[in-house]
Amino acid sequence: MRTFLDFQKEITAGKIKNVYYIAAIDNYFIQKAAGMLREKLFGNAESKENFFLKYADEIPMQEIIDLAGGSASLFSSKKLVVVKRCEKYSRKLSEFMELSKKADSDSVVLYAFDANFVVEKKLNESSKFDFYDFSDLPQRELYDWVRSEFQAREISINNDALDLFITSIPLSFDLLSTEIEKISNYDFGSGEKLLTKEIVLQFIGYDKEYSPEELISSILSRERAKAFKILNNLLNNKGVNEVYLLSVLSKYYLDLLSFKTAGMENMDNRLIYQKYKIWGEGIKLGKNFSKSLNISSLEKCIENLLETDKKLKSSMLDPKILMASLVDELLNA
């Protein structure tokens, strides 16, 4: 599927279609797309005239089809309709998809679906529906997008800081945008507005020597004393939630398991991201440590992680003791 950046290029070039199908995980790029279309159609990204925002779980399907098929008002030559949560029409999906292809020549309609629903129903594989993926960006474009968002706020960001920022936040563009805004309010004083790894660590609540990445690096390096020192700092000084920390460790171990794929260590970082959705610290750890662990050891580690997850969520055992026991098991794997 093409991305939001492809959509942006087409709209900027004036290549506007009557109907768009969007796969998204949040609202960020949908709102951006609506703003761009309003600017092109009405000359103002904030215009509310002949702009309709609808939710599929709040309005009957036929009303949406009628709205898309009706002509614009006497006072405008164009009409923009944005329909979110279209997966809610799943019971009549075939009918909806066929009817949605038709729109009045004066209308531009953007149908937004949950990205997982689009993949599950294989809508993106149909030649009848040209979907845009607003839920993801290729690694290089994602990094360029984040960098450009900081640059728009007159802030430079070095590569280590950029890598840490992206790998520390779940891939939600709403969330990424919010965190970019927060960090942009940092007081750089009178010096250069340069965002470093140390500043990012400060914002996400870690010291450079006591981050989850340093914890897993020390575990994989078999540095027992260092690993427990970092664990103690994260849980007792920083107050990191045990379930969250476990999820970070689990992600990196799954990345390590992926690196057992033949030839993967020789792939460039962009290809690794495209094929396996691994980036940043996950790639570094994979290339540095995957050979030091055999598959049976990795499988044992993942079993320990899953068992700890179950205990954290269903038992009355002390979460800190469970995490300490897990780190001990990982060190001995």
Side-chain angles (χ1 to χ4, degrees), residues 210-226:
Y210 298 100
S211 67
E213 289 72 26
E214 284 298 313
L215 172 60
I216 195 167
S217 291
S218 62
I219 291 171
L220 295 171
S221 300
R222 303 291 189 257
E223 298 177 80
R224 177 174 293 272
K226 182 179 179 182

Side-chain angles (χ1 to χ4, degrees), residues 15-279:
K15 299 177 181 178
I16 301 176
K17 297 185 290 187
N18 286 112
V19 178
Y20 291 93
Y21 296 99
I22 307 299
I25 55 174
D26 55 28
N27 289 318
Y28 183 81
F29 282 136
I30 296 175
Q31 292 174 335
K32 288 280 188 182
M36 292 181 64
L37 287 169
R38 287 155 82 179
E39 180 72 41
K40 280 290 184 180
L41 298 175
F42 313 126
N44 183 350
E46 303 301 321
S47 173
K48 291 183 171 62
E49 294 293 329
N50 284 291
F51 170 64
F52 301 87
L53 174 61
K54 301 295 181 180
Y55 295 86
D57 53 350
E58 297 177 356
I59 185 170
M61 183 181 76
Q62 192 57 52
E63 286 189 30
I64 291 292
I65 301 303
D66 290 344
L67 179 61
S71 60
S73 74
L74 296 174
F75 305 102
S76 175
S77 60
K78 290 293 181 182
K79 175 174 62 178
L80 174 62
V81 182
V82 176
V83 188
K84 297 182 180 180
R85 304 173 191 162
C86 288
E87 67 277 3
K88 299 299 181 180
Y89 292 139
S90 59
R91 291 185 179 180
K92 296 182 177 180
L93 185 61
S94 296
E95 180 184 359
F96 173 70
M97 296 305 295
E98 283 303 313
L99 291 172
S100 69
K101 291 188 294 184
K102 302 173 184 177
D104 185 83
S105 58
D106 291 335
S107 297
V108 176
V109 190
L110 191 155
Y111 294 107
F113 295 75
D114 176 78
N116 292 326
F117 179 85
V118 170
V119 173
E120 178 188 341
K121 299 298 183 181
K122 299 181 180 179
L123 297 177
N124 56 312
E125 297 179 15
S126 171
S127 59
K128 296 180 181 179
F129 311 108
D130 187 13
F131 269 85
Y132 292 79
D133 185 2
F134 282 10
S135 68
D136 201 0
L137 289 175
Q139 185 186 29
R140 182 175 297 174
E141 292 180 356
L142 174 62
Y143 276 56
D144 288 345
W145 176 78
V146 173
R147 190 187 297 278
S148 69
E149 288 294 304
F150 280 114
Q151 288 175 342
R153 295 163 174 79
E154 300 182 343
I155 295 172
S156 301
I157 180 169
N158 65 30
N159 291 334
D160 285 345
L162 180 62
D163 189 56
L164 176 62
F165 177 79
I166 290 174
T167 56
S168 299
I169 298 172
L171 189 53
S172 160
F173 291 99
D174 279 336
L175 185 56
L176 282 167
S177 179
T178 298
E179 293 303 309
I180 288 169
E181 199 62 47
K182 286 181 185 176
I183 295 182
S184 297
N185 291 322
Y186 179 79
D187 184 5
F188 292 93
S190 58
E192 179 187 4
K193 288 187 174 183
L194 174 64
L195 198 56
T196 63
K197 186 175 182 179
E198 287 70 28
I199 295 174
V200 174
L201 281 167
Q202 179 182 332
F203 265 88
I204 60 178
Y206 305 132
D207 298 321
K208 183 178 181 180
E209 297 82 9
Y210 298 100
S211 67
E213 289 72 26
E214 284 298 313
L215 172 60
I216 195 167
S217 291
S218 62
I219 291 171
L220 295 171
S221 300
R222 303 291 189 257
E223 298 177 80
R224 177 174 293 272
K226 182 179 179 182
F228 279 105
K229 184 178 180 181
I230 295 172
L231 180 67
N232 178 66
N233 179 274
L234 289 171
L235 297 183
N236 297 311
N237 294 353
K238 295 298 181 183
V240 173
N241 179 273
E242 291 84 4
V243 174
Y244 169 74
L245 181 58
L246 180 65
S247 71
V248 175
L249 294 177
S250 299
K251 174 193 176 300
Y252 285 131
Y253 272 95
L254 290 172
D255 290 348
L256 287 166
L257 187 60
S258 296
F259 266 88
K260 289 300 181 182
T261 305
M264 188 168 170
E265 70 276 4
N266 297 321
M267 293 181 184
D268 63 53
N269 291 2
R270 182 179 176 81
L271 184 57
I272 290 173
Y273 173 77
Q274 289 175 337
K275 293 191 69 173
Y276 301 99
K277 299 303 180 191
I278 300 173
W279 68 89

Side-chain angles (χ1 to χ4, degrees), residues 257 260 293-304 333:
L257 187 60
K260 289 300 181 182
L293 288 170
N294 58 41
I295 293 220
S296 62
S297 294
L298 279 171
E299 289 176 342
K300 182 181 177 182
C301 289
I302 291 170
E303 285 178 11
N304 289 331

Side-chain angles (χ1 to χ4, degrees), residues 241-251 254 300-319 321-327 329-330:
N241 179 273
E242 291 84 4
V243 174
Y244 169 74
L245 181 58
L246 180 65
S247 71
V248 175
L249 294 177
S250 299
K251 174 193 176 300
L254 290 172
K300 182 181 177 182
C301 289
I302 291 170
E303 285 178 11
N304 289 331
L305 288 159
L306 290 172
E307 185 62 27
T308 303
D309 180 69
K310 184 191 299 182
K311 290 177 180 177
L312 280 173
K313 294 174 180 176
S314 62
S315 78
M316 299 299 291
L317 296 172
D318 187 323
I321 293 176
L322 285 173
M323 290 302 295
S325 176
L326 171 65
V327 168
E329 290 169 340
L330 296 176

